[in-house]
Amino acid sequence: MKINFLQIAQIELDDAISYYNYEVPGLGDAFLTEVLNALDRIGEFPDAWHPSSKRTRRCQTRRFP
């Protein structure tokens, strides 16, 4: 399964990474790793997550819920 981010979602992700790195050096990098791990799980098991709507499912990261 190919996963794409909307441009606004990519901007939000980049902002969150910057924020976490500003608060604690390296924390933003850990956040990105968690997001990438969640994306891998979504790609492997796309129907495993709780439905939010007909076309959307919700997958939380483990360390950054």
Side-chain angles (χ1 to χ4, degrees), residues 5-24 27-29 31-32 35 64:
F5 273 72
L6 296 175
Q7 183 178 5
I8 191 69
Q10 183 65 55
I11 291 168
E12 187 176 346
L13 176 62
D14 293 341
D15 287 348
I17 293 166
S18 295
Y19 170 78
Y20 281 128
N21 274 330
Y22 175 78
E23 291 296 313
V24 177
L27 189 59
D29 301 326
F31 173 69
L32 177 59
V35 170
F64 300 87

Side-chain angles (χ1 to χ4, degrees), residues 1-63:
M1 164 183 254
K2 183 174 179 166
I3 298 172
N4 294 313
F5 273 72
L6 296 175
Q7 183 178 5
I8 191 69
Q10 183 65 55
I11 291 168
E12 187 176 346
L13 176 62
D14 293 341
D15 287 348
I17 293 166
S18 295
Y19 170 78
Y20 281 128
N21 274 330
Y22 175 78
E23 291 296 313
V24 177
L27 189 59
D29 301 326
F31 173 69
L32 177 59
T33 297
E34 286 293 318
V35 170
L36 294 175
N37 288 338
L39 292 173
D40 286 343
R41 290 192 309 272
I42 292 167
E44 191 170 346
F45 307 105
D47 296 324
W49 314 107
H50 182 70
S52 295
S53 69
K54 284 185 175 183
R55 296 182 38 181
T56 307
R57 291 182 180 268
R58 181 178 180 169
C59 174
Q60 291 182 314
T61 59
R62 292 180 176 151
R63 184 172 170 198

